[in-house]
Amino acid sequence: MKTPLLTSTALEPGGLVGLDQRARDIFRRIVESYLQTGEPVGSRTLSMSGISLSPASIRNTMQDLTLAGLLASPHMSAGRIPTHAGLRLFVDGLLEIGDLSAEERREIDGRLAGRGRGFDEALNEASSLLSGLAGGAGIVASPVRDAGVKHVEFVALGHDQALAVLVGDDGSVENRLMPLKAGVTPSTLQEASNFLNARLKGRPLHEARTEMRTELDAARRELDVAAARLVEDGLAAWSGGSERERALIVRGRANLLQDAGAMEDLEKVRILFDDLEQKEELIGLLDGVSAAQGVRIFIGAETRLFSLSGSAVVAAPYMSGRQRVVGAIGVIGPARLNYARIIPLVDYTARVLGRILDGQET
């Protein structure tokens, strides 16, 4: 049964539609064998797998698939492996995915929603869990904190320093230390606090930021000069903090070495290790999943980040109870990932994280 978990990707003209039944069957068998063993597949192996064709007929079809860019011949081997384009075609049109067992669901539920576990702990556990169950490296991007503002206040800590406090509707609290200019009085702090509370309350800060700066320019005549400066400094402090503090959790790097036998494979893993250090680019990739309604898959050069290592990413967004995407979770590994197993694992884990987050928001 073809999975409903994946986001739809249109097949290119001349893809599956351009393959006859014989070519589809041979192509599917080659890809399935490669995903299982990592080894090139030859015509003799296929002829012994139950295909009622001669090795010569199989070789001709394999050659056609190679010319179409779906298969490649590594080194001098007579066998073939799927190209990244071939893997994409297989995943989009031929991959059959089952479902998780009841036991696997219970394990994920139990490990993520353990007694007394907070959401940040659940994120860490989710990354470790996926790396263990899927065999690749588990990755999680921590959520974008964009709850509405409940309260804003500036508190003097001395004659030259203040604490800017922002309380969110979700109970989160952000504190930023700010230098105070000479001449700032308690009434100035209160004026700046009142100005922001009147305009920010109930609104996500990132949505109100640009509009607030425009309003501030227009309101400078009404505000005390020192209060206007406080408002501007406060907005800059809060808006700059949340993105810098977002975490990227990666677990299971050692799993990536298990199937790397040849020097070429080891070099690709080394490049992938370097890729995993690119925090901002990885978070950007996972944030790009937020528009999806299900699991998304990136293979090889489909992402600039993994074009050299030839790696694959299977990722899904996790949402709050209000169906607001706040982050993403996934698995990274070689292009021959076990997609049929990993896709439902990632999908279900993302759903459980969403339920845990929803429970903390209500």
Side-chain angles (χ1 to χ4, degrees):
M1 179 182 68
K2 192 175 177 184
T3 175
L5 304 180
L6 296 170
T7 42
S8 176
T9 304
L11 297 175
E12 295 293 332
L16 280 180
V17 177
L19 301 181
D20 60 26
Q21 189 57 47
R22 173 195 293 183
R24 288 192 191 200
D25 188 33
I26 290 175
F27 175 67
R28 177 181 57 78
R29 289 171 185 258
I30 290 174
V31 176
E32 288 176 345
S33 177
Y34 172 74
L35 292 179
Q36 183 176 1
T37 68
E39 299 294 330
V41 182
S43 57
R44 187 172 298 277
T45 300
L46 288 173
S47 66
M48 296 171 62
S49 68
I51 297 181
S52 56
L53 293 170
S54 67
S57 296
I58 295 173
R59 280 195 297 272
N60 288 337
T61 301
M62 291 171 67
Q63 181 63 22
D64 291 340
L65 291 168
T66 302
L67 291 173
L70 301 178
L71 299 180
S73 179
H75 311 302
M76 299 302 291
S77 170
R80 298 289 190 275
I81 63 173
T83 62
H84 290 164
L87 285 173
R88 167 55 63 188
L89 188 67
F90 174 81
V91 167
D92 285 346
L94 294 174
L95 182 65
E96 295 183 356
I97 301 174
D99 200 357
L100 299 181
S101 67
E103 183 178 349
E104 288 173 321
R105 290 172 182 263
R106 282 194 297 270
E107 180 181 358
I108 294 172
D109 290 342
R111 288 181 61 176
L112 296 189
R115 184 183 300 275
R117 174 165 288 156
F119 189 67
D120 289 342
E121 292 176 297
L123 291 179
N124 275 285
E125 185 62 27
S127 182
S128 298
L129 183 151
L130 281 180
S131 71
L133 294 179
I139 54 171
V140 177
S142 65
V144 178
R145 306 292 186 182
D146 61 352
V149 174
K150 184 176 182 180
H151 181 71
V152 173
E153 188 169 357
F154 294 99
V155 181
L157 298 180
H159 68 280
D160 62 351
Q161 196 173 55
L163 186 67
V165 183
L166 185 147
V167 181
D169 286 337
D170 60 354
S172 61
V173 179
E174 289 190 38
N175 298 317
R176 298 285 188 272
L177 285 174
M178 296 173 49
L180 283 182
K181 304 291 184 182
V184 174
T185 64
S187 62
T188 301
L189 295 173
Q190 189 62 53
E191 184 181 6
S193 299
N194 292 342
F195 179 85
L196 285 171
N197 278 313
R199 291 159 177 81
L200 289 180
K201 191 169 184 178
R203 303 171 64 188
L205 183 63
H206 74 94
E207 289 182 6
R209 192 178 305 151
T210 302
E211 184 179 333
M212 275 294 307
R213 290 202 170 101
T214 302
E215 288 189 29
L216 179 59
D217 289 338
R220 285 186 187 277
R221 287 173 296 181
E222 303 173 19
L223 280 172
D224 178 89
V225 173
R229 186 182 299 117
L230 265 178
V231 169
E232 193 167 17
D233 290 347
L235 285 173
W238 288 317
S239 65
S242 59
E243 290 302 317
R244 287 197 302 268
E245 293 172 1
R246 288 189 65 196
L248 178 73
I249 305 165
V250 182
R251 298 285 185 272
R253 286 179 173 87
N255 292 335
L256 303 172
L257 292 168
Q258 291 181 357
D259 295 328
M263 289 301 297
E264 180 183 354
D265 294 334
L266 288 171
E267 176 60 17
K268 287 183 177 180
V269 171
R270 185 194 66 76
I271 295 172
L272 175 55
F273 277 13
D274 290 341
D275 294 339
L276 292 176
E277 297 302 318
Q278 307 303 312
K279 174 184 172 182
E280 290 184 5
E281 291 192 49
L282 262 175
I283 289 179
L285 174 66
L286 291 176
D287 283 348
V289 175
S290 60
Q293 295 301 311
V295 177
R296 287 198 64 185
I297 298 173
F298 305 93
I299 302 174
E302 291 176 355
T303 64
R304 187 190 64 79
L305 183 59
F306 298 118
S307 59
L308 294 179
S309 66
S311 305
V313 182
V314 179
Y318 58 88
M319 306 180 183
S320 71
R322 296 187 289 267
Q323 294 302 298
R324 174 175 55 87
V325 174
V326 292
I329 183 169
V331 172
I332 292 178
R336 67 177 194 88
L337 285 171
N338 185 347
Y339 298 100
R341 172 165 174 74
I342 291 174
I343 289 167
L345 277 173
V346 170
D347 179 73
Y348 187 73
T349 303
R351 293 175 189 271
V352 174
L353 284 176
R355 291 202 297 268
I356 294 172
L357 183 61
D358 184 28
Q360 293 193 352
E361 289 184 345
T362 55

